[in-house]
Amino acid sequence: MENNTTPKPIRCKAAVSRAPGEPLRIEEVVVAPPRAYEVRIKIVCTSVCHTDVTFWRMKGFPAVLPQIYGHEAVGVVESVGDHVEEVVVGDVVVPSFLAQCGDCGDCESEGSNMCGKLPYKPVGMPRDGTTRFTDAEGAVVHGFLGGASSFSEYTVADIAHVVKVDPAIPPEKACLLSCGVSTGVGAAWKVAKVEAGSTVAIFGLGAVGLAVAEGARLRGAGRIIGVDLNPAKFEIGKRLGITDFINPKELGEKPVSEAILEITGGGADYCFECIGLASLMADAFRSSRNGSGKTIILGVEMQGSPIMLDSSEILRGKCVMGSLFGGIKPKTDIPILVKRYLNKELKLDEFITHEMGLHDINKAFDLLIEGKSLRCIIWMDR
């Protein structure tokens, strides 16, 4: 007799991308049971991140379509595959686009958050490269970022990409820690290690840039300068620790770096580039203090342009650092951020600007692209 406890395929709704840049389609998909080292998750809510938009717009990789995007989410474990011991059915979890296997040298190292056993890959399950999704006709639908694919009511993720969290945290707040907010807070906390009383400059005040401000505030930064073309960001930023605001449009011919050098009396101790433009990366570098200034790059260069830096400035003691996921080790550090929120230390409410159901997901994309939202929470039960 068949074991009635064996997980079965599940039919559910998902937002599927079938052509680059075209509206996502709400379709019925079939989600296979989890295999060994995998977990099937009932998604409670998700949100749209700029990474989702970047992959959705790509035209150079037609072989991965159709695909289900989404990776910033929270859900409940519905079933588990063989060899899964750290979570059980009913646990509240968030997916992570970076793995933490816990066994490799990188995972055991304090200096890296890049798993050497299961390296970052945008498409397919990390251990076998296959998918757990098919459409209503049985055709393959590709997964995303370790199996996150959170624009679906159910998804299957590798256990190395799953983080158990305290169920006391509201779902919409836990969702934020799955990617964007952790990336920004972590950059200030884990990568830059911002020192108390120091000066910070942040180029770009989207969700990640504002999360950098929050991380710098938590680290005790004395002055936090926000650089953005949208003056409305300053009001939000003030609640997250920003003390000064620079709008490049209001400087005339003066470079932003010159304005920051004047404000800080020689340059910021830490400069964060959160947009993804080589020109801004160079400007951030020029804005940092001689002798010890650190420039932390969080944005992927959106036009593929190289960064042009003056080597004489590097010789003066400045450095450039890369930051993927803010240096966060998912299973180790996300629970710490959850605890800091529950202890009323970490601010998360300010990042949620809109809420809607899955059927409105294309509106959520539009709001993010137009710069009208920080994070739009998409509830699966609405």
Side-chain angles (χ1 to χ4, degrees):
M1 292 179 63
E2 184 179 10
N3 186 348
N4 290 330
T5 63
T6 301
K8 308 293 193 304
I10 290 176
R11 290 182 176 270
C12 68
K13 297 294 183 183
V16 180
S17 175
R18 291 194 171 272
E22 293 188 4
L24 304 181
R25 304 180 187 177
I26 305 302
E27 302 182 10
E28 182 179 80
V29 297
V30 178
V31 186
R35 299 182 186 177
Y37 303 103
E38 295 176 357
V39 177
R40 189 159 60 187
I41 303 166
K42 177 180 173 60
I43 298 295
V44 175
C45 63
T46 184
S47 62
V48 179
C49 168
H50 277 286
T51 301
D52 300 309
V53 175
T54 298
F55 278 91
W56 167 69
R57 283 172 163 169
M58 280 186 179
K59 296 183 179 180
F61 302 95
V64 301
L65 294 177
Q67 190 169 22
I68 300 172
Y69 299 121
H71 62 287
E72 198 171 89
V74 64
V76 177
V77 175
E78 179 271 337
S79 56
V80 301
D82 293 338
H83 310 301
V84 172
E85 298 176 353
E86 63 186 87
V87 299
V88 298
V89 172
D91 280 345
V92 177
V93 296
V94 299
S96 164
F97 72 91
L98 285 187
Q100 185 178 352
C101 74
D103 298 326
C104 69
D106 291 306
C107 285
E108 293 175 348
S109 167
E110 289 296 321
S112 174
N113 68 336
M114 301 287 290
C115 179
K117 183 178 179 181
L118 298 170
Y120 168 84
K121 62 168 65 175
V123 182
M125 298 299 290
R127 298 176 197 263
D128 62 14
T130 61
T131 181
R132 302 293 171 265
F133 295 100
T134 53
D135 64 17
E137 283 71 47
V140 164
V141 177
H142 298 278
F144 187 54
L145 294 178
S149 298
S150 59
F151 295 165
S152 172
E153 293 175 320
Y154 287 84
T155 191
V156 176
D158 191 281
I159 186 58
H161 289 263
V162 173
V163 181
K164 181 179 175 180
V165 297
D166 188 334
I169 185 171
E172 69 276 16
K173 309 304 190 307
C175 175
L176 300 175
L177 297 176
S178 189
C179 181
V181 171
S182 293
T183 294
V185 171
W189 165 36
K190 303 279 290 185
V191 178
K193 297 180 174 62
V194 169
E195 295 181 341
S198 61
T199 302
V200 171
I202 304 167
F203 291 72
L205 298 179
V208 171
L210 289 168
V212 171
E214 174 65 359
R217 182 191 67 81
L218 288 170
R219 294 285 295 180
R223 195 168 196 174
I224 304 174
I225 304 165
V227 181
D228 202 283
L229 297 171
N230 183 354
K233 296 292 181 67
F234 190 34
E235 288 305 311
I236 301 172
K238 282 196 296 187
R239 300 197 293 272
L240 299 170
I242 291 179
T243 58
D244 302 82
F245 183 79
I246 294 175
N247 185 338
K249 292 188 295 187
E250 298 176 353
L251 295 178
E253 298 298 317
K254 180 187 293 187
V256 171
S257 57
E258 185 178 329
I260 291 176
L261 292 174
E262 291 175 358
I263 290 173
T264 60
D269 298 304
Y270 306 93
C271 294
F272 296 84
E273 200 281 341
C274 306
I275 299 293
L277 284 173
S279 60
L280 283 182
M281 295 173 189
D283 216 12
F285 182 71
R286 286 190 292 268
S287 302
S288 64
R289 184 174 297 277
N290 283 330
S292 60
K294 295 181 179 179
T295 299
I296 298 89
I297 306 298
L298 286 82
V300 177
E301 218 298 324
M302 62 181 71
Q303 297 167 351
S305 301
I307 310 173
M308 305 296 287
L309 303 178
D310 186 339
S311 61
S312 68
E313 291 196 62
I314 297 175
L315 292 174
R316 295 189 189 111
K318 298 182 178 184
C319 73
V320 177
M321 310 172 72
S323 176
L324 182 62
F325 199 24
I328 291 289
K329 284 182 176 290
K331 295 177 187 289
T332 305
D333 296 326
I334 289 177
I336 293 173
L337 294 176
V338 169
K339 185 175 181 180
R340 298 203 73 174
Y341 172 78
L342 293 174
N343 288 342
K344 303 187 185 306
E345 300 169 13
L346 174 66
K347 296 180 180 179
L348 295 177
D349 300 48
E350 287 77 6
F351 293 91
I352 299 173
T353 54
H354 298 79
E355 299 183 53
M356 57 190 63
L358 182 63
H359 59 282
D360 285 325
I361 193 168
N362 290 302
K363 180 180 178 181
F365 268 66
D366 291 340
L367 288 168
L368 186 63
I369 293 167
E370 294 166 3
K372 295 179 179 177
S373 75
L374 293 176
R375 281 297 184 265
C376 177
I377 301 299
I378 297 167
W379 295 92
M380 292 298 172
D381 60 355
R382 291 189 182 177

PDB file of all heavy atoms in Angstrom, residues 126-139:
ATOM      1  N   PRO A 126      20.284  23.573  -6.604  1.00  0.00           N
ATOM      2  CA  PRO A 126      21.742  23.644  -6.511  1.00  0.00           C
ATOM      3  C   PRO A 126      22.468  22.316  -6.616  1.00  0.00           C
ATOM      4  O   PRO A 126      23.627  22.284  -7.031  1.00  0.00           O
ATOM      5  CB  PRO A 126      21.966  24.288  -5.142  1.00  0.00           C
ATOM      6  CG  PRO A 126      20.719  24.025  -4.373  1.00  0.00           C
ATOM      7  CD  PRO A 126      19.619  24.041  -5.382  1.00  0.00           C
ATOM      8  N   ARG A 127      21.813  21.202  -6.289  1.00  0.00           N
ATOM      9  CA  ARG A 127      22.527  19.914  -6.294  1.00  0.00           C
ATOM     10  C   ARG A 127      22.436  19.171  -7.627  1.00  0.00           C
ATOM     11  O   ARG A 127      23.338  18.409  -7.965  1.00  0.00           O
ATOM     12  CB  ARG A 127      22.022  19.015  -5.155  1.00  0.00           C
ATOM     13  CG  ARG A 127      22.280  19.620  -3.779  1.00  0.00           C
ATOM     14  CD  ARG A 127      21.703  18.770  -2.665  1.00  0.00           C
ATOM     15  NE  ARG A 127      21.606  19.547  -1.436  1.00  0.00           N
ATOM     16  CZ  ARG A 127      22.513  19.522  -0.446  1.00  0.00           C
ATOM     17  NH1 ARG A 127      23.563  18.744  -0.531  1.00  0.00           N
ATOM     18  NH2 ARG A 127      22.329  20.275   0.634  1.00  0.00           N
ATOM     19  N   ASP A 128      21.344  19.384  -8.373  1.00  0.00           N
ATOM     20  CA  ASP A 128      21.224  18.632  -9.632  1.00  0.00           C
ATOM     21  C   ASP A 128      20.835  19.502 -10.827  1.00  0.00           C
ATOM     22  O   ASP A 128      20.737  19.002 -11.952  1.00  0.00           O
ATOM     23  CB  ASP A 128      20.219  17.480  -9.483  1.00  0.00           C
ATOM     24  CG  ASP A 128      18.797  17.933  -9.151  1.00  0.00           C
ATOM     25  OD1 ASP A 128      18.509  19.127  -9.293  1.00  0.00           O
ATOM     26  OD2 ASP A 128      17.989  17.071  -8.752  1.00  0.00           O
ATOM     27  N   GLY A 129      20.593  20.794 -10.599  1.00  0.00           N
ATOM     28  CA  GLY A 129      20.306  21.702 -11.701  1.00  0.00           C
ATOM     29  C   GLY A 129      18.925  21.577 -12.307  1.00  0.00           C
ATOM     30  O   GLY A 129      18.618  22.260 -13.291  1.00  0.00           O
ATOM     31  N   THR A 130      18.067  20.722 -11.751  1.00  0.00           N
ATOM     32  CA  THR A 130      16.730  20.515 -12.315  1.00  0.00           C
ATOM     33  C   THR A 130      15.717  21.446 -11.650  1.00  0.00           C
ATOM     34  O   THR A 130      16.056  22.275 -10.817  1.00  0.00           O
ATOM     35  CB  THR A 130      16.296  19.046 -12.151  1.00  0.00           C
ATOM     36  OG1 THR A 130      16.259  18.721 -10.746  1.00  0.00           O
ATOM     37  CG2 THR A 130      17.269  18.118 -12.847  1.00  0.00           C
ATOM     38  N   THR A 131      14.456  21.299 -12.026  1.00  0.00           N
ATOM     39  CA  THR A 131      13.386  22.135 -11.481  1.00  0.00           C
ATOM     40  C   THR A 131      12.337  21.262 -10.809  1.00  0.00           C
ATOM     41  O   THR A 131      12.244  20.060 -11.090  1.00  0.00           O
ATOM     42  CB  THR A 131      12.729  22.969 -12.594  1.00  0.00           C
ATOM     43  OG1 THR A 131      11.690  23.792 -12.026  1.00  0.00           O
ATOM     44  CG2 THR A 131      12.117  22.083 -13.675  1.00  0.00           C
ATOM     45  N   ARG A 132      11.555  21.868  -9.932  1.00  0.00           N
ATOM     46  CA  ARG A 132      10.454  21.146  -9.276  1.00  0.00           C
ATOM     47  C   ARG A 132       9.103  21.651  -9.772  1.00  0.00           C
ATOM     48  O   ARG A 132       8.068  21.307  -9.202  1.00  0.00           O
ATOM     49  CB  ARG A 132      10.537  21.312  -7.751  1.00  0.00           C
ATOM     50  CG  ARG A 132      11.852  20.816  -7.147  1.00  0.00           C
ATOM     51  CD  ARG A 132      12.025  19.309  -7.268  1.00  0.00           C
ATOM     52  NE  ARG A 132      13.374  18.924  -6.877  1.00  0.00           N
ATOM     53  CZ  ARG A 132      14.384  18.758  -7.727  1.00  0.00           C
ATOM     54  NH1 ARG A 132      14.180  18.928  -9.030  1.00  0.00           N
ATOM     55  NH2 ARG A 132      15.571  18.404  -7.289  1.00  0.00           N
ATOM     56  N   PHE A 133       9.110  22.457 -10.848  1.00  0.00           N
ATOM     57  CA  PHE A 133       7.873  23.040 -11.368  1.00  0.00           C
ATOM     58  C   PHE A 133       7.566  22.533 -12.773  1.00  0.00           C
ATOM     59  O   PHE A 133       8.469  22.386 -13.605  1.00  0.00           O
ATOM     60  CB  PHE A 133       7.971  24.565 -11.441  1.00  0.00           C
ATOM     61  CG  PHE A 133       8.107  25.258 -10.117  1.00  0.00           C
ATOM     62  CD1 PHE A 133       9.345  25.684  -9.677  1.00  0.00           C
ATOM     63  CD2 PHE A 133       6.994  25.490  -9.317  1.00  0.00           C
ATOM     64  CE1 PHE A 133       9.484  26.345  -8.462  1.00  0.00           C
ATOM     65  CE2 PHE A 133       7.115  26.153  -8.104  1.00  0.00           C
ATOM     66  CZ  PHE A 133       8.368  26.571  -7.676  1.00  0.00           C
ATOM     67  N   THR A 134       6.305  22.318 -13.026  1.00  0.00           N
ATOM     68  CA  THR A 134       5.798  22.141 -14.390  1.00  0.00           C
ATOM     69  C   THR A 134       4.516  22.960 -14.512  1.00  0.00           C
ATOM     70  O   THR A 134       3.876  23.300 -13.502  1.00  0.00           O
ATOM     71  CB  THR A 134       5.490  20.662 -14.708  1.00  0.00           C
ATOM     72  OG1 THR A 134       4.616  20.127 -13.706  1.00  0.00           O
ATOM     73  CG2 THR A 134       6.763  19.835 -14.764  1.00  0.00           C
ATOM     74  N   ASP A 135       4.134  23.280 -15.757  1.00  0.00           N
ATOM     75  CA  ASP A 135       2.881  24.019 -15.928  1.00  0.00           C
ATOM     76  C   ASP A 135       1.712  23.045 -16.041  1.00  0.00           C
ATOM     77  O   ASP A 135       1.881  21.828 -15.901  1.00  0.00           O
ATOM     78  CB  ASP A 135       2.967  24.980 -17.115  1.00  0.00           C
ATOM     79  CG  ASP A 135       3.137  24.279 -18.458  1.00  0.00           C
ATOM     80  OD1 ASP A 135       2.877  23.056 -18.546  1.00  0.00           O
ATOM     81  OD2 ASP A 135       3.522  24.967 -19.424  1.00  0.00           O
ATOM     82  N   ALA A 136       0.537  23.584 -16.289  1.00  0.00           N
ATOM     83  CA  ALA A 136      -0.672  22.753 -16.316  1.00  0.00           C
ATOM     84  C   ALA A 136      -0.637  21.692 -17.406  1.00  0.00           C
ATOM     85  O   ALA A 136      -1.325  20.670 -17.323  1.00  0.00           O
ATOM     86  CB  ALA A 136      -1.899  23.647 -16.492  1.00  0.00           C
ATOM     87  N   GLU A 137       0.174  21.919 -18.456  1.00  0.00           N
ATOM     88  CA  GLU A 137       0.299  20.951 -19.547  1.00  0.00           C
ATOM     89  C   GLU A 137       1.474  19.988 -19.337  1.00  0.00           C
ATOM     90  O   GLU A 137       1.763  19.167 -20.199  1.00  0.00           O
ATOM     91  CB  GLU A 137       0.481  21.674 -20.881  1.00  0.00           C
ATOM     92  CG  GLU A 137      -0.809  22.271 -21.450  1.00  0.00           C
ATOM     93  CD  GLU A 137      -1.292  23.459 -20.655  1.00  0.00           C
ATOM     94  OE1 GLU A 137      -0.462  24.335 -20.343  1.00  0.00           O
ATOM     95  OE2 GLU A 137      -2.493  23.504 -20.330  1.00  0.00           O
ATOM     96  N   GLY A 138       2.172  20.137 -18.228  1.00  0.00           N
ATOM     97  CA  GLY A 138       3.297  19.245 -17.943  1.00  0.00           C
ATOM     98  C   GLY A 138       4.635  19.728 -18.463  1.00  0.00           C
ATOM     99  O   GLY A 138       5.647  19.023 -18.335  1.00  0.00           O
ATOM    100  N   ALA A 139       4.696  20.926 -19.045  1.00  0.00           N
ATOM    101  CA  ALA A 139       5.954  21.460 -19.558  1.00  0.00           C
ATOM    102  C   ALA A 139       6.784  22.059 -18.417  1.00  0.00           C
ATOM    103  O   ALA A 139       6.258  22.546 -17.422  1.00  0.00           O
ATOM    104  CB  ALA A 139       5.685  22.535 -20.607  1.00  0.00           C
TER     105      ALA A 139
END
